[in-house]
Amino acid sequence: MKTGLLTSFFIIFSSCYNAQIKSGLKVESGVSYELAQFRKSTLSDIKYELDLDIPESKTERISGAENITFSYKKQGELPLQIDFKENAASLLSVTVNGQIIKPVLDQEHILIDQKYLKSGLNQIAFKFLAGNSALNRRDGYLYTLFVPDRARTMFPCFDQPNLKATYSLTLTIPEKWNATANGKLKETTIKQGRKKLSFAQSDLLPTYLFSFAVGDFKYFKEKIGNQDAGMLYRETDSVKIKNSMDSVYNIYRNSLAYYEKWTGIPHPFQKHGLVVVPDFQFGGMEHPGAILFQNSTLFLDKNATQSQLNNRSNLLAHEVAHLWFGDMVTMDWFNDVWTKEVFANFMADKSTGASSDKSIYDLKFLTTHFPAAYSVDRTIGANPIRQILDNLQNAGMMYGPIIYNKAPIMMRQLELLIGEDNFRKGVSEYLKKYAYSNATWPDLIKILDSHTPEDLQSWNKVWVNEPGRPVIDYKVKYNGNKIGSFTITQHPEHGEVQKLWPQEFQLSLFYPDRIEKVNVKLSGKEQEVSELQGKQKPLFILQNSSGIGYGVFRTGKEVISDFSLVKDPVSRASAYISLYENMLGGSGITSQELLHFFTGQLQKENTELNLRLITGYISGIYWGFLPERIRSKESESLENTIWNALQGQVATNNKKILFDCYQGIFQSKKAYDNLYTIWKTQTAPQGITLNDEDFTSLALALSLRNNNNSDLLQEQLTRIKNPDRINRFKIIMKAASSDKKVRDEFFNSLAEKQNRTNESSVGAALGYLHHPLRQQTSVNYLPKSLELLQEIQKTGDIFFPDNWLRSTFGSYQNPEALNVVNQFIQKNPDYNSILKNKILQATENLRRAQVLVK
């Protein structure tokens, strides 16, 4: 057990922290780490009672009354800081222990003088107007989303994860509306067209998990075990609803049963509940008893692709996993927010994989996590999994593919290192020890360390505390037709100080009549693979053939020549990913050669997840890494190849994937006329079924190739019947307009916060605004887009800054766009480092294009 250094660190840190507290605690915006630690040492037994009156109109303010009770340890003369990020006019009255006091609001905190407080039990009452920032008020409904520190924008609270509390909520709403919250519904009364709902006291929760949703929702009731598990939803497509409900609840039940068995801990909360939201800015959010889900992910028709079905299973399993990982045991501070997310993803993979064979699980894990993780970790702005956080107001910037995709890969390697049984025992011990409390990643590592002789501290340093990935190569010497020696080497991708990634992966040697596989446990800079000595010279060698290893695995053109020998779908996926990563690194194969290889695979590749993988790569290479002159030459041939492959594929889902690819890259008049006829007549190609959303996407694709698209867009608008989808299309069609004036007005409108509230729709619209076919004019929006970034980070939800950047810069190859980025960074040397990294991550392909596009 290697914990000596860790223990010493915390002793030193605690001494420094105590000294700082004694010298005073300043009042500053946000929730600083120092404030959070100080309040944790003085506050306990917190209870919130909230009574909210919610009008039907989203423009009217919500009035609230609140009581906070808590135990308090008085320390010195420092005022108690209660978080409330609203203007002073919204704080109507404050009463402390029965005494009305003058409200003092400073730097987003209500300051309560020590003279009004006492050691022991205290009660503070507020009357206030709720802030709207995190209420997501739409026409006819609202849902709260307080992660990571946005509860304070709605009501006065101690908005930090390690001050768990209970919540007693009363909502007064329009009579026709429905509502749900963390606690069970206790009582309903109706008076003069208004409905009053009283909910039972919730379980212990941090503020970011307190939640409610109200509005003109339909209500569906189902049982999970002996408990009611209601769902609020707004979907109007009866076919999708009928096709989805049983599947949704079955996945939920199966996930729940798997986690209860795996952890040895029953479902830890008082109720189940689902809220399905149109245009939800996340995939889901794990509020106990009121889990939020994205409508388009949950409600599918009978022709859903395997990828869509996987996404639904993963989303449900992910959010249910959070009930243990994040909800029951919560991170102490948001620098460990990744811990809850890695377990949610990792356990979701386990849960959904339990019902399938290992090869299906391995393929889904590989194609889901590795390309996404690489998209950030290959960049010069890559961040480690575990980051330092000074203030919760910056916590939203920590989210991204490193947390959601690299971390599960890391966790799988950790499980391989210490063994599956030891891993499960350690995690179960961790959950039971910290149940309904808070913990840190070092707390978990310490427990896992006690279950293995491996050096987890050294392993943790390179995998968790540092960014980047290794480049893994091999040197082979032959004696005649036999392997004399085979050495694997590794080095950091960006030439940092020497780092070594201990990990396991597989090598496969391909022969005309067989495949020979060797498992490798890589630990050093160079490592001899003695098992290969004396083996016959193969046609080619495929590194990481089982898709478990992490890094850039050298993969040359020789793999392509005899690729038909690669029968295993996981090995093919690993080869596709490695070839793409090698291309981006400028080694092994050019972008045009790789495009030809991938398009040649379209008729041969019949595994759906692999087909989706390579069509994504085809689109990315076509728009991002081919010069325009080459793209023009390749265009018609590529269209024909994709269309012919569509005809040749047998599986309906594969045909749909190829249709989407064709729709995404076409440029010729022949292809336009073909797709326009399909859209106009609403007659899909044979073997394919297109739903309303598909025809909407097709209309938008056509509009990008139409110099006068107003009539087309207006006709598509009249076809849409669902009111939520109408509102979404009205936003996107402005960005897709052929009229530059309309596009200019749309972009300029985004400077105002109220025009960015529907973040999902705005992100989608930006993708059309900055499409490669529009970049001659859209490049002019780039300077202002970067200028708005800090404001977007302050006012938007956690994924919006990254969404804003990637939707804006994701498909540029123009040197002018890179000059805008470089000039912005040069002019802002003191720019927030995490946001700067987000910019570098989102513009990495733009940088690489300058080398690859010649």
Side-chain angles (χ1 to χ4, degrees):
M1 284 72 76
K2 285 67 62 181
T3 57
L5 287 175
L6 199 63
T7 303
S8 299
F9 168 77
F10 281 112
I11 291 172
I12 294 169
F13 177 83
S14 298
S15 299
C16 295
Y17 168 71
N18 290 333
Q20 187 176 17
I21 289 299
K22 288 176 182 177
S23 65
L25 187 69
K26 63 181 179 180
V27 179
E28 58 183 304
S29 64
V31 179
S32 69
Y33 182 73
E34 290 75 22
L35 173 61
Q37 291 297 93
F38 181 68
R39 291 197 302 207
K40 179 63 177 176
S41 70
T42 58
L43 297 168
S44 61
D45 300 322
I46 303 169
K47 295 181 180 179
Y48 296 95
E49 295 177 17
L50 277 163
D51 191 333
L52 302 174
D53 193 315
I54 302 175
E56 185 168 359
S57 172
K58 67 180 182 180
T59 61
E60 294 181 44
R61 296 292 294 274
I62 295 171
S63 59
E66 174 186 11
N67 285 318
I68 308 178
T69 58
F70 55 92
S71 293
Y72 187 55
K73 296 179 184 176
K74 293 189 72 170
Q75 291 187 17
E77 298 302 315
L78 294 173
L80 176 64
Q81 298 184 39
I82 301 174
D83 312 320
F84 189 48
K85 189 180 178 181
E86 256 297 319
N87 56 46
S90 297
L91 187 60
L92 305 179
S93 70
V94 181
T95 304
V96 183
N97 292 322
Q99 183 174 352
I100 298 174
I101 68 169
K102 182 179 180 181
V104 177
L105 189 62
D106 184 18
Q107 295 290 313
E108 305 170 356
H109 302 286
I110 302 167
L111 303 184
I112 308 296
D113 195 291
Q114 288 288 334
K115 65 185 179 184
Y116 301 115
L117 300 168
K118 57 189 177 182
S119 291
L121 190 65
N122 289 260
Q123 183 178 82
I124 302 179
F126 301 98
K127 291 190 183 301
F128 63 98
L129 298 176
N132 281 327
S133 296
L135 287 179
N136 295 281
R137 298 181 76 178
R138 308 279 191 257
D139 291 328
Y141 68 102
L142 71 80
Y143 58 94
T144 62
L145 197 56
F146 293 148
V147 64
D149 66 328
R150 305 188 77 199
R152 64 196 178 99
T153 68
M154 200 279 279
F155 68 103
C157 60
F158 302 109
D159 203 3
Q160 61 189 72
N162 59 0
L163 286 178
K164 289 191 169 183
T166 59
Y167 301 81
S168 298
L169 177 66
T170 300
L171 299 174
T172 302
I173 61 176
E175 182 179 351
K176 63 181 180 180
W177 282 12
N178 285 310
T180 193
N182 304 109
K184 293 180 179 180
L185 181 61
K186 286 195 310 183
E187 185 181 5
T188 302
T189 57
I190 297 174
K191 184 178 180 180
Q192 296 178 339
R194 303 282 288 167
K195 182 161 58 177
K196 192 170 194 174
L197 306 175
S198 297
F199 294 90
Q201 180 176 281
S202 74
D203 303 287
L204 277 173
L205 297 172
T207 45
Y208 82 87
L209 290 175
F210 167 56
S211 183
F212 56 90
V214 303
D216 189 11
F217 286 100
K218 299 181 182 68
Y219 180 72
F220 180 86
K221 188 167 75 172
E222 182 66 273
K223 288 277 188 182
I224 293 180
N226 295 321
Q227 288 184 303
D228 287 338
M231 176 195 288
L232 298 183
Y233 68 98
R234 286 176 59 84
E235 179 57 63
T236 56
D237 188 327
S238 59
V239 175
K240 284 186 177 181
I241 295 168
K242 183 178 180 180
N243 190 66
S244 300
M245 282 299 188
D246 285 348
S247 296
V248 167
Y249 276 94
N250 284 337
I251 296 166
Y252 193 108
R253 289 189 190 93
N254 291 340
S255 300
L256 195 72
Y258 182 89
Y259 302 139
E260 288 183 332
K261 182 178 179 181
W262 196 92
T263 63
I265 301 170
H267 172 241
F269 294 97
Q270 64 180 262
K271 62 168 283 203
H272 300 284
L274 298 80
V275 183
V276 190
V277 181
D279 282 336
F280 186 41
Q281 54 266 60
F282 302 178
M285 184 60 206
E286 65 266 21
H287 311 123
I291 304 177
L292 296 179
F293 294 96
Q294 168 62 266
N295 183 91
S296 61
T297 306
L298 249 58
F299 288 114
L300 303 175
D301 59 33
K302 64 181 180 179
N303 299 299
T305 65
Q306 189 60 49
S307 180
Q308 289 175 308
L309 295 171
N310 285 344
N311 288 342
R312 178 168 68 185
S313 296
N314 287 349
L315 174 59
L316 282 156
H318 177 106
E319 301 308 334
V320 175
H322 270 310
L323 296 172
W324 286 264
F325 300 96
D327 295 3
M328 186 184 76
V329 178
T330 306
M331 66 275 171
D332 192 70
W333 186 240
F334 264 85
N335 62 332
D336 280 327
V337 64
W338 71 274
T339 307
K340 75 181 181 73
E341 297 303 337
V342 66
F343 270 110
N345 261 355
F346 185 69
M347 295 305 298
D349 289 325
K350 279 184 169 293
S351 169
T352 56
S355 59
S356 60
D357 65 45
K358 187 175 184 301
S359 64
I360 295 174
Y361 165 76
D362 287 344
L363 182 61
K364 191 174 78 165
F365 190 95
L366 174 60
T367 56
T368 298
H369 294 306
F370 283 75
Y374 289 164
S375 73
V376 172
D377 221 18
R378 74 167 80 98
T379 76
I380 57 176
N383 56 273
I385 292 174
R386 193 171 199 245
Q387 303 175 69
I388 296 171
L389 180 65
D390 59 342
N391 192 306
L392 280 184
Q393 66 186 356
N394 298 321
M397 293 186 286
M398 307 181 83
Y399 290 78
I402 294 298
I403 283 178
Y404 286 96
N405 301 109
K406 182 181 179 180
I409 297 168
M410 173 278 297
M411 197 65 83
R412 195 177 188 189
Q413 285 288 337
L414 177 59
E415 186 182 48
L416 286 170
L417 181 68
I418 68 177
E420 191 170 350
D421 286 343
N422 288 337
F423 180 79
R424 187 189 60 78
K425 289 174 185 175
V427 173
S428 183
E429 180 183 331
Y430 159 83
L431 289 172
K432 290 170 182 175
K433 180 175 180 178
Y434 294 103
Y436 303 102
S437 184
N438 300 81
T440 67
W441 171 249
D443 290 330
L444 175 57
I445 282 290
K446 183 177 180 181
I447 290 172
L448 292 175
D449 219 1
S450 68
H451 289 270
T452 178
E454 300 289 346
D455 181 1
L456 293 192
Q457 297 304 328
S458 297
W459 183 94
N460 184 62
K461 182 176 184 293
V462 70
W463 275 101
V464 177
N465 294 335
E466 296 178 355
R469 58 184 185 166
V471 175
I472 298 174
D473 206 341
Y474 62 86
K475 295 181 285 189
V476 58
K477 293 181 180 179
Y478 293 102
N479 294 329
N481 201 36
K482 302 286 186 181
I483 295 175
S485 65
F486 193 100
T487 305
I488 293 179
T489 64
Q490 65 165 308
H491 64 83
E493 182 174 15
H494 292 301
E496 309 99 326
V497 294
Q498 185 59 49
K499 293 191 293 188
L500 301 174
W501 285 259
Q503 60 174 312
E504 294 187 25
F505 59 89
Q506 186 184 79
L507 291 170
S508 287
L509 282 64
F510 285 81
Y511 300 93
D513 59 344
R514 69 189 188 281
I515 303 168
E516 296 193 14
K517 301 176 182 179
V518 174
N519 292 323
V520 176
K521 285 191 175 184
L522 182 62
S523 57
K525 183 178 180 181
E526 288 193 2
Q527 190 163 314
E528 188 77 19
V529 185
S530 57
E531 297 96 320
L532 295 181
Q533 192 171 355
K535 287 188 178 292
Q536 185 181 346
K537 182 178 180 179
L539 293 172
F540 64 90
I541 296 167
L542 182 60
Q543 292 198 98
N544 196 32
S545 53
S546 62
I548 293 173
Y550 187 80
V552 185
F553 291 88
R554 198 256 284 185
T555 307
K557 297 179 186 179
E558 67 276 6
V559 171
I560 292 175
S561 302
D562 294 292
F563 198 76
S564 60
L565 296 173
V566 188
K567 305 295 186 186
D568 175 41
V570 175
S571 294
R572 290 202 303 276
S574 183
Y576 294 145
I577 293 168
S578 290
L579 284 165
Y580 183 75
E581 294 301 320
N582 277 262
M583 181 275 292
L584 286 182
S587 64
I589 189 169
T590 68
S591 54
Q592 193 171 6
E593 289 172 332
L594 188 56
L595 179 72
H596 290 163
F597 169 65
F598 283 149
T599 54
Q601 287 294 114
L602 292 179
Q603 277 196 341
K604 303 171 187 175
E605 181 58 73
N606 54 16
T607 300
E608 184 180 326
L609 293 180
N610 282 350
L611 193 61
R612 183 169 295 280
L613 178 68
I614 60 175
T615 55
Y617 283 151
I618 285 170
S619 179
I621 294 169
Y622 180 76
W623 291 115
F625 298 114
L626 290 185
E628 189 171 349
R629 68 183 189 280
I630 301 296
R631 195 189 310 151
S632 299
K633 291 178 181 177
E634 294 278 359
S635 178
E636 192 164 353
S637 173
L638 180 58
E639 291 171 10
N640 291 335
T641 301
I642 296 171
W643 190 259
N644 290 335
L646 186 159
Q647 310 302 319
Q649 286 277 355
V650 176
T652 299
N653 287 354
N654 288 354
K655 286 178 176 288
K656 178 60 166 56
I657 290 168
L658 290 168
F659 181 79
D660 290 343
C661 183
Y662 181 84
Q663 174 183 305
I665 60 90
F666 81 96
Q667 293 197 70
S668 72
K669 184 180 186 304
K670 176 185 174 184
Y672 182 93
D673 291 343
N674 181 23
L675 290 172
Y676 182 83
T677 300
I678 291 170
W679 172 78
K680 188 69 175 176
T681 63
Q682 298 191 69
T683 305
Q686 187 174 358
I688 298 176
T689 301
L690 300 178
N691 59 30
D692 291 344
E693 290 97 319
D694 293 323
F695 282 111
T696 299
S697 296
L698 181 53
L700 290 167
L702 290 165
S703 73
L704 291 171
R705 283 88 170 171
N706 186 322
N707 293 326
N708 187 12
N709 65 19
S710 178
D711 290 345
L712 189 156
L713 291 171
Q714 286 296 329
E715 183 175 343
Q716 180 57 40
L717 180 63
T718 63
R719 293 181 179 185
I720 303 171
K721 304 306 178 188
N722 180 285
D724 298 315
R725 287 195 275 274
I726 288 172
N727 290 336
R728 178 181 176 85
F729 190 75
K730 283 180 178 179
I731 294 171
I732 296 173
M733 67 187 289
K734 296 174 186 176
S737 173
S738 56
D739 188 338
K740 181 178 178 296
K741 183 179 178 182
V742 173
R743 300 199 303 272
D744 288 346
E745 289 174 352
F746 168 73
F747 177 75
N748 291 333
S749 74
L750 298 180
E752 300 298 325
K753 175 186 171 183
Q754 65 267 23
N755 296 322
R756 303 191 302 262
T757 54
N758 192 329
E759 294 175 0
S760 173
S761 298
V762 169
L766 289 173
Y768 289 100
L769 192 71
H770 293 279
H771 189 277
L773 294 174
R774 291 282 172 78
Q775 287 176 6
Q776 275 193 324
T777 55
S778 60
V779 70
N780 297 316
Y781 304 139
L782 297 183
K784 182 65 174 178
S785 298
L786 290 173
E787 290 170 15
L788 286 170
L789 184 59
Q790 284 188 315
E791 175 66 17
I792 283 163
Q793 187 272 318
K794 290 177 183 176
T795 59
D797 277 306
I798 56 179
F799 297 114
F800 195 38
D802 192 59
N803 187 2
W804 175 272
L805 287 168
R806 291 184 181 275
S807 298
T808 298
F809 287 96
S811 58
Y812 276 90
Q813 58 172 243
N814 187 343
E816 185 182 347
L818 183 59
N819 288 337
V820 170
V821 175
N822 290 339
Q823 288 173 14
F824 180 82
I825 291 173
Q826 290 168 7
K827 289 179 181 177
N828 296 276
D830 299 322
Y831 200 70
N832 180 282
S833 61
I834 303 178
L835 270 187
K836 178 184 174 182
N837 281 340
K838 293 286 185 188
I839 295 171
L840 294 174
Q841 292 166 15
T843 58
E844 178 69 17
N845 282 357
L846 172 59
R847 294 177 186 279
R848 290 181 186 257
Q850 308 314 303
V851 177
L852 297 174
V853 178
K854 293 180 180 178

